[in-house]
Amino acid sequence: MTGTLRPLWAEYDEDALAQNLAFVRRLAGGRRLIASVKANGYGHGAVAMAEALARQGVDTLWTGSIDDALAIRAAGNKARIILFAGPLPSDMPAVLAQDLTPTIHDRAGAEAVAAAARQPTPIYLKVDAGLGRLGVPLEEAAGLIEAIAGMRNVVIEGIYTHLPFGTAAGRDWAAGRYAGFAALLRRLTGRGIRPAVTQAWASSGLLAGLPDDSNAVCVGHLLYGLSPVDADVAGAGALRPVLSAIKTRLIHVVRHAAGRDAAIGGQYGQRNARLSGVVPLGLGDGMRNAAAGETASLILRGRRVLILAVSLEHTTLDLTGVDEAAVGDEVIVVGGSDGLANGFRDFARWFGCSELEAVMGFSGRLAARQPRA
Ligand SMILES: *Cc1c(COP(=O)(O)O)cnc(C)c1O
């Protein structure tokens, strides 16, 4: 998204990505790193994040979106791209033709690969070790894997599972479930099946430092500077947000006659805003009205300005006390400095959602700009 005349933009900080990546590599130790760019790169833009990761030496990407995977390919990115899931068995020929590596979790998918493959073709096999989303159930995994191992042209390159968690109780659950997955890998080794890649831990397991016998980790959250776990599970370390700022400009400033209530703020009980302003940031951009009891604010000329209301395309601000406010003034939505900043954590509280939900709501829809030096 470039060339927009709408004064609303996001700033992505590639130095932050590099620093987060270094942090992740330290935690991963000798394990290989696979980067997750799913969900449009966690809202940061799948193609842009894939390119930035390639510049940082990441050669293997993982996403669940075939469309994102194809867009990454179309942009000329040569990374290995593994699909978490997604294609119907009937679409397997197209997946292979685009040099994407499918995840298989049932016989029908494996047979579709075998039917489409003209040469030895790598697949990843996903085991459901207890999450209950995608994957062959742990108890059935050995049988499926042995059946696939006998299929012509189908090479099981990787076997993985997913045990994400956010709380201390979740950590204990994940550690218990991991034991079942590790036992499966040992059983397979005993039968001569040794995939090149084995992987269980994502951001949460890596950050919590859970024991790991597998040889790869697949990380998303941490790369973007997001922690998926509560503070009592693990600190967020040196993580820095890659989506470092969202900014806009005042497109309208209006002085209301003294004593007259502005109806726009009615629902918050904000009365008598003598000066109000409008920025082009609305529900369509991921902005939301604050939850009951919360009052959200943006930052203008080094001061907090309260939000009176959010409509489809606009946010109306109470500029009372910022008499010098003028059309064109920069308004900080996310970002800031010197003790005066908005983070996604603030928006999560104001919106009554998680930090990731706040990020996902905003990003991916905003024009990107590199931060100014
Ligand atoms: C999303 C995902 C990951 C990465 O998870 P993060 O918590 O973002 O690090 C790893 N594995 C699977 C199967 C996933 O779906």
Side-chain angles (χ1 to χ4, degrees):
M1 279 189 282
T2 51
T4 177
L5 293 180
R6 202 151 174 248
L8 172 66
W9 68 96
E11 295 178 355
Y12 297 94
D13 183 348
E14 198 166 329
D15 289 342
L17 181 69
Q19 189 177 311
N20 298 338
L21 192 58
F23 173 68
V24 165
R25 283 189 167 127
R26 270 200 307 282
L27 291 179
R31 288 169 288 177
R32 167 181 185 164
L33 171 68
I34 299 171
S36 170
V37 292
K38 69 185 175 192
N40 192 29
Y42 294 60
H44 295 58
V47 173
M49 287 302 120
E51 284 175 1
L53 288 163
R55 283 193 288 276
Q56 304 292 336
V58 173
D59 62 358
T60 309
L61 304 173
W62 221 319
T63 177
S65 164
I66 298 175
D67 290 342
D68 282 355
L70 293 177
I72 291 166
R73 269 284 173 273
N77 193 312
K78 302 278 191 291
R80 187 69 180 274
I81 304 178
I82 301 152
L83 296 174
F84 281 124
L88 290 168
S90 55
D91 289 329
M92 218 50 93
V95 168
L96 300 186
Q98 295 293 332
D99 190 24
L100 306 177
T101 304
T103 286
I104 298 302
H105 37 67
D106 57 23
R107 216 184 159 94
E111 283 170 352
V113 173
R118 297 282 161 271
Q119 59 201 21
T121 299
I123 61 137
Y124 277 59
L125 188 124
K126 177 153 188 201
V127 177
D128 176 12
L131 183 63
R133 191 166 60 194
L134 291 163
V136 57
L138 187 61
E139 314 74 55
E140 299 168 26
L144 177 64
I145 290 164
E146 285 182 351
I148 293 174
M151 288 183 190
R152 196 174 131 76
N153 278 341
V154 185
V155 180
I156 302 175
E157 183 175 275
I159 298 181
Y160 70 102
T161 190
H162 191 37
L163 296 164
F165 57 89
T167 63
R171 175 192 54 204
D172 299 343
W173 164 85
R177 293 300 173 157
Y178 172 78
F181 179 69
L184 168 71
L185 293 180
R186 281 196 301 276
R187 228 176 17 255
L188 292 172
T189 303
R191 295 179 202 178
I193 297 173
R194 289 186 193 81
V197 176
T198 55
Q199 180 266 325
W201 295 130
S203 293
S204 49
L206 190 63
L207 201 53
L210 294 181
D212 194 6
D213 296 330
S214 44
N215 63 18
V217 292
C218 177
V219 177
H221 277 78
L222 299 181
L223 296 178
Y224 307 96
L226 299 162
S227 170
V229 299
D230 292 348
D232 64 333
V233 174
L239 295 178
R240 278 168 54 192
V242 172
L243 175 48
S244 56
I246 297 175
K247 294 177 181 171
T248 181
R249 292 188 189 280
L250 286 174
I251 57 166
H252 185 56
V253 175
V254 62
R255 200 168 290 280
H256 301 281
R260 192 184 298 160
D261 285 347
I264 186 80
Q267 66 198 104
Y268 293 110
Q270 296 272 356
R271 297 283 180 226
N272 218 359
R274 284 177 291 117
L275 193 65
S276 68
V278 176
V279 289
L281 166 74
L283 298 173
D285 306 296
M287 190 59 183
R288 298 200 218 161
N289 281 295
E294 294 289 345
T295 307
S297 59
L298 305 184
I299 297 165
L300 166 69
R301 290 181 179 256
R303 267 169 285 180
R304 287 205 167 273
V305 288
L306 298 182
I307 291 174
L308 289 171
V310 179
S311 53
L312 279 166
E313 293 188 333
H314 299 112
T315 291
T316 305
L317 302 167
D318 180 352
L319 303 186
T320 304
V322 194
D323 287 333
E324 67 280 28
V327 167
D329 278 1
E330 186 173 278
V331 175
I332 297 173
V333 182
V334 172
S337 59
D338 299 337
L340 185 63
N342 278 346
F344 284 104
R345 227 162 270 234
D346 298 306
F347 281 91
R349 191 179 68 251
W350 291 332
F351 293 169
C353 68
S354 73
E355 193 178 357
L356 182 64
E357 285 169 335
V359 172
M360 291 305 299
F362 273 119
S363 56
R365 312 198 222 187
L366 309 176
R369 268 193 215 170
Q370 291 307 316
R372 264 162 278 166

